[in-house]
Amino acid sequence: MSYKWPEKDPDETSDFSVDWSRFLGDDSIVSTVFFVDDANGTKTQVSTAQFVNGIQFIQSTVSGNVATARFAQGINNLRYNVTCRINTTQGLTFERSVILPVRNR
């Protein structure tokens, strides 16, 4: 099952978050990595200011147990599959995929 974020306009630079609080309980996030599927559907790790299939990953942040990615641009009417991977203080690794629809508003 994939989750879905609200639509992003191609002209906006916006933050999109994954809240792991209820899932992690007493554990906490040590690090996070984001991935965006490229045009062929290959999960591609993104780094600061990198473009994948027309969308730009600006940066990621962690605040408590919330991992946030900032995105700019994107291709109108395209749905991006974004994956958030976290590592925790207990040495566990988890991933969640989220759909980011891009649409002119």
Side-chain angles (χ1 to χ4, degrees), residues 31-63:
S31 64
T32 187
V33 177
F34 281 89
F35 301 82
V36 176
D37 288 6
D38 66 15
N40 297 318
T42 303
K43 186 166 73 171
T44 305
Q45 184 174 336
V46 289
S47 56
T48 303
Q50 181 177 354
F51 280 90
V52 175
N53 199 23
I55 197 163
Q56 184 180 26
F57 174 79
I58 304 295
Q59 68 180 13
S60 66
T61 57
V62 174
S63 177

Side-chain angles (χ1 to χ4, degrees), residues 28-103:
S28 59
I29 298 173
V30 172
S31 64
T32 187
V33 177
F34 281 89
F35 301 82
V36 176
D37 288 6
D38 66 15
N40 297 318
T42 303
K43 186 166 73 171
T44 305
Q45 184 174 336
V46 289
S47 56
T48 303
Q50 181 177 354
F51 280 90
V52 175
N53 199 23
I55 197 163
Q56 184 180 26
F57 174 79
I58 304 295
Q59 68 180 13
S60 66
T61 57
V62 174
S63 177
N65 279 338
V66 177
T68 301
R70 180 169 291 169
F71 290 100
Q73 301 190 27
I75 298 172
N76 187 41
N77 293 321
L78 195 62
R79 292 167 38 114
Y80 292 91
N81 188 53
V82 178
T83 302
C84 175
R85 177 185 294 164
I86 61 165
N87 295 302
T88 72
T89 55
Q90 294 179 8
L92 303 173
T93 301
F94 299 103
E95 286 190 355
R96 291 292 179 269
S97 292
V98 185
I99 302 298
L100 176 57
V102 174
R103 191 158 291 118

